[in-house]
Amino acid sequence: MNYVIWGGAALSLIGLVGIIYSIWAVSKAKRAGLDDEQLRQRITRILPINLGALLVSVIGLMAVIIGVILS
């Protein structure tokens, strides 16, 4: 079960990187001084990345928990 724990940790790390990227991209868009419609469009493009990263992170954490329980 060691491989499930480490695989889950890797997935969680990938998800964390995606979440940090989305935070960085939104803050960069806000600092760019765009009008409301352009800012809304840019955030709309970033939202699926954020949700996907959150999903990957949750799946990784579940794999870690399952690996710890089964070992």
Side-chain angles (χ1 to χ4, degrees):
M1 287 299 127
N2 216 7
Y3 59 89
V4 174
I5 295 171
W6 285 107
L11 278 176
S12 293
L13 186 61
I14 291 169
L16 182 64
V17 168
I19 292 170
I20 290 172
Y21 167 75
S22 63
I23 291 170
W24 173 78
V26 168
S27 67
K28 182 179 174 185
K30 284 185 177 182
R31 281 184 273 127
L34 303 172
D35 64 351
D36 286 341
E37 186 59 34
Q38 289 176 337
L39 183 62
R40 187 180 315 258
Q41 288 175 354
R42 196 169 291 182
I43 290 176
T44 303
R45 284 187 303 170
I46 297 169
L47 182 66
I49 297 170
N50 187 18
L51 291 176
L54 184 63
L55 177 68
V56 169
S57 181
V58 166
I59 290 172
L61 289 173
M62 286 190 316
V64 168
I65 290 171
I66 289 171
V68 168
I69 289 172
L70 292 178
S71 61

